[in-house]
Amino acid sequence: QLYTSTELAGWEVRETGTRRALRGATFLGGRLIVSGEAGTILWADDPQEIQRVDLDTEDWLEGVAASSSVAVAVGDNGAVYRSTNGQEWVRQSLGASTWLRGIVWGGGLFVAVGEDGGIFTSPNGTAWTRRTVSNGNGAHLNKVAWTGSGFVVAGDAVRGAGTVVFGSADGTAWNPAQPASGASRDLIGAAAESASLRLVVGDLEVRRYSTLPAPNWASLISNEPADGPPPATYLAALWDGSQFLVAGRTGRILTARRTPLSLEWSEHPSPPRSWMFDSMVATAVGTNVQPVLSEGRVQYLSSRTTNDFFVAAGDYATLMTSDTGVGWSTALPPTNAASRTYLGVAGNAHRLVAVGNGGLISVSPVAYVPLVSTVPLTNGVEVITVSVTNEVNTLGLAWYPAVSPTSVDLQ
């Protein structure tokens, strides 16, 4: 599936003409190019009119990048394809059969990375040179990003440590990041605002590298949305010139703007892509306080509200709610549910329970949090602004881990 958005507030699904997996995307000038399964290439000057090219190969093209005049797609078995327009492609010789997982253009070079520590550079996408990581660990390398003066590479974990490699601007010198990132899991994506601010993401990992006041790494994963991205598997990261964009499973999309002291995170609505295995109708009870003017005095009318809503549970620890069944919001699952699967959900007006594989049990009890709002009132002459505090029921929105008596799958 292919989704596009101009402002990250809403996403449109596009008709691609294929059911094959799509793996990488770039722009050659104003032309969108997408690479994917079994030699699939898509190109479009208008996302409403996507064209497909079949390269007649079974090799998956895992990444694609472009300079101002050339696009290069890379993938399985050392596959490298080059194009000047996105429509006609010619296979190039890598000089190796390394399975490639990512590619970037930067500093006048294409840099492709892949399995067994493979790094290859080319000024034009035709002639390729293999590079060696000094004191490398041979980890599979997943993605590479240009920092403006060098490269940063994210790779799989070896002996409990996620792999990060820094490369020089000319692509000749490659070294493990110093200090080490501190990641303990696979790192799948990389991005950089500059050489002094870099980001790597992966399986329950979002880590920031900064050179201020001295080179250091920090884990940004947080259960507080305002402080950082929630625990999840993140598959991609990029710097768009003004902010970082991080994307992961279940269609999760976050952005981070740089502030003088930190990164300011925001989560954006995204199209769900998980399999959903169960759903139910739940009821939430709350209070509604409404101010009114009566004989020149403010009075408060209070009433109980009852709201029926839908709850769905599924793959990749996905829990979703909807008032209408049309627009859905993703709830934050407990950290112990990350990357696991919910197979069932049930409950009543007091508590919801979601269960899944490996004895997974999560609960969402009735809880009320205050919501303060301002209401303008007018008596025909003057406007009076009144502050009102209502109680919002977080049933279905806030989920917590429960102790499970079993490790078998529950549904």
Side-chain angles (χ1 to χ4, degrees):
Q1 289 182 310
L2 179 66
Y3 297 87
T4 63
S5 175
T6 57
E7 71 297 312
L8 298 181
W11 291 82
E12 282 191 72
V13 61
R14 299 298 185 177
E15 178 56 51
T16 63
T18 182
R19 295 182 63 84
R20 292 177 177 176
L22 304 177
R23 307 294 289 173
T26 193
F27 282 92
L28 177 59
R31 175 165 290 178
L32 171 66
I33 299 177
V34 179
S35 65
E37 176 184 354
T40 297
I41 293 287
L42 306 178
W43 67 269
D45 297 320
D46 182 337
Q48 298 185 55
E49 299 178 1
I50 295 176
Q51 309 297 317
R52 175 181 165 186
V53 179
D54 191 342
L55 299 186
D56 192 28
T57 178
E58 291 301 309
D59 294 328
W60 287 43
L61 301 177
E62 296 287 343
V64 60
S67 67
S68 60
S69 59
V70 173
V72 177
V74 300
D76 299 352
N77 296 300
V80 176
Y81 287 84
R82 183 181 185 272
S83 174
T84 58
N85 57 19
Q87 301 176 56
E88 293 89 21
W89 295 78
V90 178
R91 184 152 184 160
Q92 309 296 315
S93 174
L94 181 69
S97 58
T98 303
W99 289 45
L100 301 173
R101 298 184 175 187
I103 184 172
V104 73
W105 167 262
L109 282 177
F110 286 102
V111 175
V113 299
E115 297 188 356
D116 301 319
I119 298 178
F120 301 82
T121 64
S122 172
N124 52 22
T126 300
W128 291 86
T129 301
R130 182 159 198 158
R131 304 298 183 179
T132 301
V133 179
S134 178
N135 297 315
N137 59 13
H140 298 329
L141 304 178
N142 296 312
K143 290 294 183 288
V144 54
W146 169 244
T147 70
S149 59
F151 299 90
V152 55
V153 180
D156 286 355
V158 174
R159 294 184 293 277
T163 299
V164 180
V165 174
F166 291 165
S168 62
D170 61 3
T172 60
W174 297 87
N175 296 279
Q178 293 295 332
S181 70
S184 61
R185 297 170 179 261
D186 293 345
L187 298 172
I188 306 170
E193 180 245 26
S194 63
S196 61
L197 182 60
R198 316 179 192 195
L199 208 67
V200 292
V201 303
D203 184 14
L204 296 178
E205 297 279 11
V206 177
R207 291 184 176 262
R208 183 270 300 146
Y209 170 86
S210 173
T211 59
L212 300 175
N216 68 93
W217 288 89
S219 174
L220 304 182
I221 291 289
S222 172
N223 287 315
E224 298 296 330
D227 296 335
T233 296
Y234 295 96
L235 304 173
L238 64 84
W239 173 259
D240 70 1
S242 62
Q243 63 185 352
F244 286 106
L245 187 148
V246 174
R249 287 178 175 167
T250 72
R252 174 165 274 131
I253 297 174
L254 300 99
T255 55
R257 291 188 176 276
R258 185 173 186 176
T259 69
L261 298 177
S262 63
L263 292 173
E264 185 177 273
W265 290 88
S266 301
E267 187 158 9
H268 299 269
S270 57
R273 300 188 299 167
S274 299
W275 287 43
M276 309 305 289
F277 293 108
D278 199 11
S279 62
M280 64 168 293
V281 177
T283 300
V285 178
T287 62
N288 182 44
V289 177
Q290 182 66 37
V292 296
L293 274 178
S294 178
E295 299 180 353
R297 301 177 61 184
V298 177
Q299 296 184 353
Y300 295 90
L301 304 179
S302 179
S303 62
R304 296 296 273 180
T305 61
T306 300
N307 175 45
D308 290 336
F309 63 100
F310 300 97
V311 183
D315 208 2
Y316 299 122
T318 302
L319 295 165
M320 305 183 72
T321 61
S322 173
D323 290 331
T324 64
V326 178
W328 290 80
S329 298
T330 302
L332 180 64
T335 55
N336 73 319
S339 301
R340 298 170 72 179
T341 299
Y342 287 112
L343 300 173
V345 62
N348 52 34
H350 303 288
R351 182 182 299 266
L352 301 180
V353 179
V355 298
N357 66 331
L360 176 64
I361 302 176
S362 302
V363 297
S364 178
V366 167
Y368 294 96
V369 296
L371 177 64
V372 179
S373 59
T374 57
V375 179
L377 302 175
T378 179
N379 59 10
V381 178
E382 61 178 334
V383 176
I384 302 173
T385 300
V386 179
S387 293
V388 177
T389 300
N390 281 296
E391 289 186 328
V392 177
N393 193 340
T394 62
L395 182 72
L397 302 177
W399 292 82
Y400 305 93
V403 177
S404 177
T406 181
S407 61
V408 302
D409 293 350
L410 304 174
Q411 66 181 89

